[in-house]
Amino acid sequence: MGRKIFVSYKYGDTYVKDLGIYEDGLWGKVKVATKARHYVDRLSDILTEEEHIYKGEDDGQSLADFSDMYIASALRDKIYDSSITIVFVSKGMKNFLEAESDQWMPWEISYSLRESSRGGRTSGSNGIIAIVLPDELDSYGYYITYSSECNCRMLNTGFLFKILRDNMFNEKSPTTSACVNGTIVYHGDNCYIQTVTWHDFISNPNKYLDKAIEIRDKIDKYNIVKNLD
């Protein structure tokens, strides 16, 4: 039986690598700006037919007119039957001038981490993967850099929504070492929400999907934050 996957993303973010998307226009096919939404389409093509994809935010859908009860109901319906949530980290995913509670992605991540019951069945927390999309310059540098001094990958977690940050580097008993410059380096599966680049994910999707389930099955090893502040 295939996996059921919920995808959280910022629909209209155009700060992503161009995929050469053409759509029907008045005079035939016309090239359009690539959005994060187009990467969801590409993801659907890459995963096998056994995978079931539930998509998050609709284009231009604002939370302003919705009550917390409506949001909860809408997200429970979409997320309840899924076992993995893929979060597309993209350069323009976050509106820094707007409260995080007024943006869809933090709510989607929050509900992916909560248990939900209906019909006598309880759905546990989803495994979550943060897939970093390349920006318009085909770079991951806005979020991922490499430290040659410490021989490790550095994540710009301050860029993320708080609920993403809170569920990274959250292993209860992490394995760490100290770099020569004093930086703490984490080893192993130290994050409940693992980070992978788009390029690495599409080269071996099952590797990362399986890892998300493996970590989910060891959720008690992590300090999980499920609610928005």
Side-chain angles (χ1 to χ4, degrees):
M1 183 176 179
R3 303 177 183 89
K4 295 183 179 181
I5 300 170
F6 180 82
V7 186
S8 179
Y9 62 101
K10 180 60 177 174
Y11 189 111
D13 184 10
T14 57
Y15 293 103
V16 293
K17 179 184 177 182
D18 183 73
L19 292 176
I21 303 296
Y22 287 83
E23 297 180 354
D24 291 329
L26 290 176
W27 310 106
K29 295 288 185 179
V30 294
K31 192 172 186 300
V32 297
T34 298
K35 300 178 180 179
R37 178 65 177 82
H38 293 118
Y39 279 85
V40 179
D41 295 337
R42 191 63 56 91
L43 177 71
S44 297
D45 292 339
I46 291 168
L47 297 180
T48 69
E49 293 182 359
E50 294 181 355
E51 313 291 355
H52 302 277
I53 304 294
Y54 301 92
K55 302 173 180 66
E57 177 204 18
D58 293 328
D59 193 13
Q61 189 175 21
S62 170
L63 287 173
D65 298 326
F66 297 139
S67 67
D68 287 354
M69 185 177 296
Y70 173 87
I71 295 166
S73 175
L75 293 180
R76 277 198 299 264
D77 289 345
K78 285 189 175 183
I79 296 171
Y80 173 77
D81 205 32
S82 63
S83 58
I84 296 174
T85 293
I86 288 176
V87 179
F88 276 167
V89 174
S90 57
K91 193 173 181 178
M93 71 176 186
K94 183 176 179 181
N95 183 346
F96 289 90
L97 300 178
E98 187 176 25
E100 294 190 9
S101 59
D102 291 335
Q103 300 179 59
W104 276 108
M105 291 183 68
W107 285 101
E108 291 167 348
I109 297 160
S110 174
Y111 273 92
S112 294
L113 289 165
R114 301 183 196 183
E115 296 84 8
S116 181
S117 297
R118 60 175 65 181
R121 175 177 173 264
T122 298
S123 174
S125 301
N126 278 12
I128 302 183
I129 314 168
I131 300 180
V132 186
L133 302 183
D135 68 13
E136 72 277 20
L137 301 176
D138 194 13
S139 171
Y140 298 104
Y142 67 95
Y143 180 62
I144 301 175
T145 54
Y146 184 79
S147 170
S148 57
E149 187 176 28
C150 300
N151 190 31
C152 69
R153 187 178 63 166
M154 309 284 286
L155 302 182
N156 178 22
T157 56
F159 164 81
L160 300 174
F161 292 109
K162 185 176 185 298
I163 196 163
L164 278 175
R165 294 198 305 271
D166 287 344
N167 290 290
M168 293 180 175
F169 303 104
N170 62 331
E171 191 176 13
K172 292 177 180 177
S173 299
T175 301
T176 62
S177 62
C179 180
V180 292
N181 64 9
T183 299
I184 300 299
V185 178
Y186 289 79
H187 304 274
D189 295 329
N190 50 78
C191 300
Y192 184 76
I193 300 178
Q194 301 276 297
T195 296
V196 60
T197 65
W198 170 255
H199 177 268
D200 286 343
F201 179 83
I202 63 175
S203 69
N204 192 353
N206 286 328
K207 171 184 175 180
Y208 298 101
L209 295 173
D210 289 345
K211 173 59 72 172
I213 295 298
E214 176 188 332
I215 291 175
R216 183 203 63 180
D217 290 344
K218 300 175 182 177
I219 194 170
D220 290 342
K221 293 177 58 179
Y222 299 88
N223 292 310
I224 303 296
V225 176
K226 301 181 181 182
N227 297 317
L228 304 184
D229 289 343

